[in-house]
Amino acid sequence: MAKRKPPVVHVSEDDAALFREAIGEVRPLPAPPPPPERPRPAPKPRMRALDEAEALAQSRSAGWFEATIDAAEALAYRRDEVPEKVLKALKRGQYSVGAELDLHLLRAPEAERWLRAFLAESRAEGQSCVRVIHGKGLRAAAGGSVLKALVDRMLRQRADVLAFASAPEAMGGTGAVLVLLARRRPGELGPPGG
């Protein structure tokens, strides 16, 4: 429904003069203050996000794995809360191996994906000790093992890895590692799709 316009009222000069005389002197009102501005959104640290994304990409790129470890070098690592005797038992192969992953002949990016998935799946299945075969890198041009260095670096960074050590000679020697995994906490989600 359309609104009706109010009728136009014509005021005579006499009436206008009487009105001005009745109200007296008029002073203009100051202009009202402008309405408050909408609050600006909080600044987003775009450069920080870009820097973090770039650092993550670099850590996952093949260039990060260029470091190698000598084929004969034994690997060993334990978190501070893990007693030394646990690491010694792991080095002697005294833990029952529940699952195994062989990374031979894989390129570093593929090996990284397989290792991530394997560790997540093993932990979700309740495995406490697993073996990862990385090889010794004897055919590598640089003379060291790229995969061995990759496995060493990745295992040290994972919160679910309590300790790892090169396997005893009968279980692969310096071409494999035994990995001790943390128990899965109740309510903790398993790997995607699992």
Side-chain angles (χ1 to χ4, degrees):
M1 180 179 223
K3 290 185 180 180
R4 277 193 210 167
K5 290 184 180 179
V8 178
V9 178
H10 295 286
V11 179
S12 69
E13 276 299 315
D14 290 338
D15 287 341
L18 268 171
F19 177 75
R20 282 192 289 276
E21 192 178 304
I23 63 168
E25 190 178 326
V26 178
R27 68 180 162 83
L29 293 174
E37 284 188 28
R38 206 179 208 174
R40 294 184 179 190
K44 293 181 182 175
R46 286 183 293 173
M47 288 308 295
R48 178 179 171 197
L50 289 173
D51 288 346
E52 287 178 0
E54 184 179 338
L56 180 62
Q58 285 177 354
S59 74
R60 291 183 172 173
S61 72
W64 187 261
F65 311 135
E66 288 176 2
T68 59
I69 293 179
D70 185 73
E73 185 177 338
L75 301 179
Y77 169 82
R78 70 176 173 84
R79 295 205 173 278
D80 291 338
E81 65 271 16
V82 176
E84 182 67 36
K85 66 181 180 178
V86 171
L87 182 62
K88 287 179 183 177
L90 192 62
K91 287 179 182 180
R92 290 191 296 265
Q94 294 178 332
Y95 286 90
S96 177
V97 174
E100 176 178 286
L101 174 67
D102 190 345
L103 299 175
H104 273 108
L105 305 178
L106 293 179
R107 296 197 175 277
E110 296 169 305
E112 179 181 9
R113 282 192 302 275
W114 277 94
L115 182 57
R116 282 184 198 285
F118 171 72
L119 293 172
E121 186 178 306
S122 296
R123 188 157 179 249
E125 291 173 357
Q127 303 292 344
S128 59
C129 183
V130 295
R131 181 167 67 147
V132 177
I133 302 168
H134 48 68
K136 295 185 179 184
L138 298 176
R139 291 177 290 199
S145 175
V146 173
L147 290 181
K148 186 174 186 176
L150 166 79
V151 169
D152 180 65
R153 179 184 61 80
M154 282 185 64
L155 294 179
R156 288 175 188 269
Q157 293 177 348
R158 291 187 63 102
D160 57 354
V161 172
L162 298 175
F164 65 89
S166 290
E169 208 50 50
M171 297 176 80
T174 57
V177 290
L178 299 179
V179 183
L180 198 59
L181 296 172
R183 286 203 175 120
R184 197 168 146 200
R185 291 182 287 272
E188 185 177 356
L189 295 177

